[in-house]
Amino acid sequence: MDRKKQKKYLIVPPFKCTWRKELRFKEAGRGCVAFEASAHNDVTLVFRERVGSQHYHYRTDNTPNYTIILGSHRNRRLKIEVNGKTVVDETGVGLCCSLTFQSYWISIYDGLISIGKGRYPFQNLVFQWLDSNPNCSVQYIGLSSWDKHVGYRNVNVLPSTSNHILLWNQMDNGELECDENEDIADGFIDELGSEDVWGLKCFLENWDLSDVLFIVGDEEKAVPAHKVIMGASGNFCFSSSNPDVIQLPGVTYPVFHAFLQYIYTGQAQVLEEQLGALRDLSLQFEVIPLVKQCEEITDRFKLNKKLFDSGRKVEISHPCSLPQRCTVFPFELPIDVQRLKQWLSTGEFSDVEIHIDGHGLVAHSHKVILSLWSAAFTKMFTNGMCESNSSKICLRDTSFDAFIEMLQFMYSGELGVQDATDKGSLLLQILLLADQFGVTPLLQGCCKTILECLSEDTVCSILQVISSIPSCKSLEEACERKFSKHFDYCTTVNTDFVFLDEASFSDILQCPNLTVTSEERILDAILLWGMEASDLLGWEAVDTILKTTAPDLLYGERLLSVNMLLPLVRFPLMPITLLKKLEKSSLSVQIPVFEELVMEAIKYSVSKMTQPGSNQNVRFQHRQSTFKEFQYICDGDNNGVLYFAGTSYGKHQWVNPVLSKKITVTASSPASRFTDPKALVSRTYQGTSFAGPRIEDEKNCSWWMVDIGEDHQLMCNYYTLRQDGSSAFMRSWALQGSLDEKNWTNLRVHENDQTICKPGQYVSWPVNGPTALFPFRFFRVVLLGPTTSDSGPWNLCICFLELYGYFHM
């Protein structure tokens, strides 16, 4: 590592605060900052709504903020300040006192401040505090100090709700970029971490599972090793006459110990005068990486003897072939991965046969490799169990395909299944197997792959599997957030959700960001879940069943759970007409809890007064993420989302939303007199308005596109078009939605549609099916075939567009 690379850190002088535009939560009030700091005391981070002053500690800024101080009062206290007022002053918690860099993380989520130590966010929590009056607008992060210099490096701003595995990858790869004019102190240097290297270290010179002995030096010291490890590192030519013993009379033990250290841990220490002997030993057994490093170090000493004081040890570290996997076997070691894979296939040096019930012999493997990854296998082979003295193990109730994938991972360090879309079931089986045998990196890899491919269609099946696995808590939380964000879709496309356990379903219903179009949807879902329905039914259908069936027969053991879940429906938010229907229903007659909740809601709705204690009761509070419904009434009405955007979302008189920059309209052809973006959402008829063609994927393509804004989404269930004054009538086209402007979903496809037949004609269509339940930011009308015009068949001639549905602000 060159010196420039080593100095990628920032020094903050006393009573200063450094602000960077990239040090910002993606979502206001929610985020996590992970960083390394070097200081005697007072590592200080400031969280504000906007970028602050460089002289923050002179109290020149009065904007609301959180200030967190690690090691306050000469490294004796942890302090949290809110708007300059101390609210937490704890003794001996989360202190920072080290001239070497230490890792910390601070998470803020709607006023819940969490502080932890270590490289991995959300692990090793040391303190939490909840603000009773949370500041949900803090977004920018300032790196500060008090009365001494503080060094910061590897500062990463991460979403507080993202999958932890993805966060860790960002942590490993992220850096704080420093400007050239920053004050960089030469005294702070990048050092090797103090954490133990995970890998073969515990098997170094360990007699457990060893199958070869090296007899070293004149004293004939016996040193155990493992053939598969040694053979994958070099060329040892184990003799057929005595394959288990290799004599090395001319090698001293310190040199041989360093040799083994390098192979088993990737690091070694030797005296300068032993470098030549270590190089010769490495050359003898063709451990080429170590040969090269010994030669390079020797050459450096020859050029500059001052680099080394005679008598001190030289440190040697194996250059990792894949830095992002530097702690995963076999990449941190001088081991030939292809040779390992080959020996798994051929069974060379194998000392255990693996049988799976129903499949027979499936692999000739190596105990040390299995034990390296799995504590379960280690105990099996070393704790006196029958497998300890046997060369054969038999596994029952084990998926053959999943076990083979796990075995391949143990020998390669890489997960072979990279697409959860095509092999989701296999990936879940691998995850279960990794949890069963404690192969943590494999489990994390499975979680990462599943998370990257997580969709509304797979979230239920994944939750059913992982909800019982404690080590998958992060993935479980991500699935529950995904489900809650797309609650309508997940509970109305099919009935897979009824197989969720009560805890998972309850967590989803209580999610602060539960996104739903109506409380009626939540009621329907609870009733369906309780009866473990195989068909999608609304509450009215369930009510009909209850006229002839008792609740305990319909719901069985889940009746108690239904009574516990019904209060999660916010009945007071329902229309009074619906509440009156529920009051007269069999549900109210048969289920006392249901009747009580409905009567409470009716009383609240009729009186229009807050019930006692309702300010604290969430049943009376509107959901943060509920969609506002915009219902199509007639062609050209004022009930659409684009018209609503023109009123600044109900705050002012209508102004063209393109001019007020509430939405953005673009076309497939450049803007011009007749391709005017603002005309498409105006209330004035345009005689000539078209989007011209462009070439996409070697085909003609014409479209008008609307971006409703970064903070908005729409579940579109109706749309309106208006033909301009021409006779270029569309016949084949589609309405599409997208979240990223790249991947488009068809909401409604028209093929040879003859509806448009007059200039200036309004036409409207519903959007049916599951796609009506997907929220999108971008919408476009795109031609799929030529119009009826001979002169301009690929001109998309519409002068008006309106969208309806459920709008999320």
Side-chain angles (χ1 to χ4, degrees):
M1 182 182 296
D2 58 35
R3 186 166 180 79
K4 183 178 180 180
K5 181 73 174 178
Q6 286 181 337
K7 293 168 63 174
K8 288 281 187 178
Y9 47 81
L10 170 70
I11 302 301
V12 179
F15 308 108
K16 299 287 186 179
C17 191
T18 296
W19 302 88
R20 296 287 181 79
K21 62 181 180 180
E22 68 270 15
L23 297 185
R24 174 188 181 187
F25 292 160
K26 185 176 181 180
E27 181 180 5
R30 298 178 177 179
C32 176
V33 57
F35 60 96
E36 293 179 67
S38 173
H40 284 288
N41 51 265
D42 291 309
V43 172
T44 306
L45 277 80
V46 184
F47 300 84
R48 301 180 76 249
E49 299 174 16
R50 295 183 297 274
V51 171
S53 166
Q54 300 291 325
H55 306 283
Y56 182 83
H57 286 300
Y58 292 132
R59 308 298 181 184
T60 57
D61 295 320
N62 296 317
T63 305
N65 66 84
Y66 290 122
T67 299
I68 300 171
I69 307 172
L70 304 180
S72 178
H73 291 75
R74 295 180 180 265
N75 199 47
R76 291 195 295 269
R77 313 187 74 81
L78 166 70
K79 289 185 65 175
I80 299 178
E81 297 178 356
V82 178
N83 306 330
K85 181 180 178 181
T86 299
V87 294
V88 171
D89 192 356
E90 291 286 330
T91 303
V93 178
L95 304 184
C96 176
C97 181
S98 177
L99 290 179
T100 60
F101 281 94
Q102 303 294 318
S103 299
Y104 305 89
W105 58 267
I106 299 174
S107 168
I108 297 180
Y109 191 95
D110 293 346
L112 177 63
I113 298 178
S114 305
I115 302 170
K117 283 188 174 184
R119 295 178 59 229
Y120 303 134
F122 313 108
Q123 304 292 307
N124 299 324
L125 177 70
V126 297
F127 188 79
Q128 272 189 327
W129 175 75
L130 179 61
D131 189 354
S132 59
N133 185 25
N135 183 345
C136 295
S137 300
V138 294
Q139 197 161 12
Y140 287 91
I141 304 161
L143 306 177
S144 185
S145 66
W146 187 248
D147 60 349
K148 294 183 183 296
H149 286 78
V150 176
Y152 292 94
R153 72 177 184 187
N154 290 335
V155 182
N156 291 269
V157 181
L158 313 164
S160 65
T161 57
S162 290
N163 173 254
H164 299 166
I165 308 304
L166 295 177
L167 300 184
W168 299 351
N169 284 343
Q170 293 180 42
M171 285 292 297
D172 287 336
N173 297 323
E175 288 180 342
L176 173 64
E177 293 295 333
C178 297
D179 296 335
E180 290 182 0
N181 60 355
E182 289 287 1
D183 179 17
I184 303 297
D186 291 335
F188 293 91
I189 61 172
D190 198 3
E191 299 179 353
L192 290 173
S194 60
E195 301 177 10
D196 291 337
V197 177
W198 179 87
L200 279 171
K201 184 175 182 179
C202 60
F203 292 96
L204 175 62
E205 297 189 28
N206 192 322
W207 290 90
D208 287 338
L209 310 181
S210 62
D211 52 4
V212 63
L213 283 180
F214 289 87
I215 308 301
V216 179
D218 295 336
E219 68 275 21
E220 296 187 347
K221 182 177 178 63
V223 182
H226 306 82
K227 289 181 182 178
V228 65
I229 302 301
M230 305 301 289
S233 305
N235 183 7
F236 285 81
C237 299
F238 299 108
S239 65
S240 56
S241 59
N242 195 355
D244 299 334
V245 178
I246 296 179
Q247 300 281 346
L248 296 174
V251 179
T252 64
Y253 172 71
V255 171
F256 187 73
H257 175 72
F259 178 70
L260 284 187
Q261 259 192 328
Y262 185 81
I263 292 175
Y264 277 72
T265 71
Q267 298 181 1
Q269 289 184 339
V270 292
L271 297 174
E272 179 188 7
E273 57 266 23
Q274 294 172 337
L275 268 175
L278 181 59
R279 182 260 184 197
D280 294 341
L281 180 62
S282 306
L283 186 61
Q284 176 185 345
F285 292 114
E286 299 180 13
V287 182
I288 303 304
L290 183 53
V291 173
K292 293 181 178 179
Q293 286 188 272
C294 288
E295 292 176 346
E296 290 173 0
I297 293 172
T298 301
D299 290 341
R300 289 205 303 271
F301 289 160
K302 289 178 180 178
L303 292 173
N304 187 356
K305 293 185 179 295
K306 293 182 179 180
L307 288 174
F308 186 79
D309 294 329
S310 180
R312 294 182 59 185
K313 289 185 177 180
V314 180
E315 293 188 358
I316 305 172
S317 296
H318 174 63
C320 180
S321 57
L322 295 174
Q324 70 274 20
R325 298 193 183 99
C326 62
T327 60
V328 177
F329 175 86
F331 297 111
E332 86 278 24
L333 305 176
I335 285 180
D336 188 329
V337 179
Q338 295 304 319
R339 197 177 297 179
L340 277 181
K341 292 180 180 179
Q342 177 186 348
W343 289 345
L344 174 62
S345 175
T346 63
E348 189 169 357
F349 305 132
S350 170
D351 55 1
V352 63
E353 294 180 354
I354 301 176
H355 295 251
I356 294 180
D357 196 23
H359 295 275
L361 176 64
V362 297
H364 293 276
S365 187
H366 308 83
K367 291 182 179 181
V368 67
I369 301 293
L370 300 180
S371 300
L372 165 67
W373 291 98
S374 167
F377 278 120
T378 302
K379 293 177 181 178
M380 186 184 298
F381 296 137
T382 61
N383 282 10
M385 300 173 66
C386 59
E387 289 85 355
S388 299
N389 300 315
S390 173
S391 60
K392 176 181 177 180
I393 58 174
C394 298
L395 303 176
R396 295 181 176 83
D397 301 323
T398 300
S399 165
F400 169 78
D401 292 332
F403 186 82
I404 293 301
E405 290 292 341
M406 184 175 79
L407 204 58
Q408 293 287 345
F409 177 86
M410 288 176 162
Y411 280 77
S412 67
E414 295 181 313
L415 177 61
V417 180
Q418 296 295 333
D419 189 352
T421 304
D422 296 334
K423 297 185 177 180
S425 176
L426 176 59
L427 203 59
L428 286 173
Q429 292 176 17
I430 299 171
L431 185 148
L432 286 172
L433 206 58
D435 178 69
Q436 175 185 345
F437 287 97
V439 187
T440 302
L442 176 58
L443 185 142
Q444 292 175 345
C446 289
C447 288
K448 177 178 180 294
T449 303
I450 291 172
L451 191 66
E452 289 172 346
C453 304
L454 187 64
S455 71
E456 301 81 3
D457 295 310
T458 61
V459 65
C460 286
S461 59
I462 294 170
L463 264 176
Q464 292 174 44
V465 173
I466 67 171
S467 59
S468 61
I469 305 177
S471 53
C472 291
K473 191 64 179 178
S474 299
L475 178 57
E476 181 184 2
E477 291 172 355
C479 289
E480 289 175 354
R481 288 193 299 272
K482 186 78 169 181
F483 191 114
S484 64
K485 184 178 180 180
H486 301 278
F487 187 86
D488 283 22
Y489 181 89
C490 293
T491 56
T492 55
V493 172
N494 55 54
T495 59
D496 288 352
F497 73 95
V498 304
F499 299 110
L500 297 177
D501 59 51
E502 180 184 351
S504 296
F505 192 49
S506 178
D507 287 344
I508 291 167
L509 293 175
Q510 296 180 75
C511 180
N513 295 318
L514 177 66
T515 301
V516 64
T517 54
S518 71
E519 294 300 313
E520 191 175 357
R521 296 273 196 184
I522 299 177
L523 175 60
D524 290 343
I526 291 174
L527 296 176
L528 286 177
W529 178 87
M531 59 191 291
E532 298 183 75
S534 57
D535 297 315
L536 291 167
L537 305 171
W539 70 266
E540 292 174 302
V542 178
D543 184 63
T544 301
I545 296 173
L546 280 175
K547 291 179 180 179
T548 57
T549 306
D552 55 344
L553 294 177
L554 181 62
Y555 291 116
E557 296 179 353
R558 286 193 173 186
L559 179 58
L560 180 60
S561 299
V562 170
N563 287 331
M564 298 290 290
L565 295 175
L566 281 173
L568 300 179
V569 181
R570 301 186 182 184
F571 287 95
L573 305 185
M574 291 182 173
I576 186 63
T577 53
L578 175 58
L579 290 172
K580 291 292 186 181
K581 289 182 181 180
L582 294 174
E583 180 187 18
K584 299 175 182 179
S585 69
S586 298
L587 286 161
S588 287
V589 174
Q590 298 271 32
I591 305 176
V593 171
F594 187 91
E595 180 186 26
E596 181 182 338
L597 291 167
V598 171
M599 294 304 296
E600 177 191 53
I602 291 175
K603 184 178 180 181
Y604 170 78
S605 182
V606 171
S607 67
K608 297 299 182 183
M609 293 177 62
T610 303
Q611 300 298 311
S614 61
N615 287 332
Q616 290 76 36
N617 194 325
V618 294
R619 290 202 303 277
F620 294 86
Q621 300 173 10
H622 285 278
R623 297 183 186 274
Q624 296 180 9
S625 301
T626 301
F627 282 71
K628 178 179 176 64
E629 184 177 10
F630 291 84
Q631 188 173 6
Y632 167 81
I633 302 297
C634 63
D635 294 340
D637 61 24
N638 294 339
N639 297 321
V641 169
L642 303 185
Y643 181 88
F644 183 61
T647 66
S648 294
Y649 312 112
K651 297 178 181 178
H652 306 293
Q653 292 294 319
W654 185 87
V655 176
N656 189 299
V658 171
L659 293 176
S660 61
K661 298 183 180 180
K662 300 299 182 184
I663 67 171
T664 303
V665 178
T666 52
S668 51
S669 57
S672 67
R673 177 183 176 186
F674 299 120
T675 307
D676 185 358
K678 65 180 181 295
L680 193 73
V681 291
S682 74
R683 315 306 288 180
T684 305
Y685 171 69
Q686 300 289 325
T688 305
S689 175
F690 64 86
R694 65 191 296 177
I695 302 299
E696 292 183 2
D697 298 327
E698 301 180 356
K699 295 180 182 179
N700 277 329
C701 186
S702 301
W703 45 260
W704 283 101
M705 183 177 71
V706 176
D707 174 7
I708 62 176
E710 181 179 1
D711 298 325
H712 302 138
Q713 291 182 341
L714 172 68
M715 289 192 289
C716 182
N717 58 23
Y718 229 99
Y719 79 108
T720 297
L721 300 176
R722 189 178 190 185
Q723 176 72 20
D724 73 353
S726 72
S727 58
F729 306 133
M730 295 189 297
R731 292 294 176 255
S732 297
W733 75 96
L735 174 69
Q736 298 178 332
S738 174
L739 286 169
D740 57 8
E741 203 177 352
K742 298 177 182 178
N743 301 296
W744 293 93
T745 299
N746 288 327
L747 302 180
R748 177 161 184 146
V749 177
H750 301 258
E751 295 181 355
N752 195 26
D753 190 324
Q754 305 291 319
T755 306
I756 304 176
C757 55
K758 295 185 297 183
Q761 177 185 1
Y762 278 108
V763 281
S764 300
W765 294 271
V767 176
N768 299 314
T771 53
L773 300 173
F774 277 127
F776 294 107
R777 170 185 170 181
F778 300 92
F779 296 86
R780 71 175 184 177
V781 179
V782 56
L783 272 181
L784 301 179
T787 67
T788 58
S789 172
D790 293 329
S791 59
W794 286 96
N795 284 343
L796 175 52
C797 300
I798 58 174
C799 63
F800 178 78
L801 172 67
E802 186 57 275
L803 305 171
Y804 304 85
Y806 293 97
F807 182 62
H808 183 213
M809 297 178 61

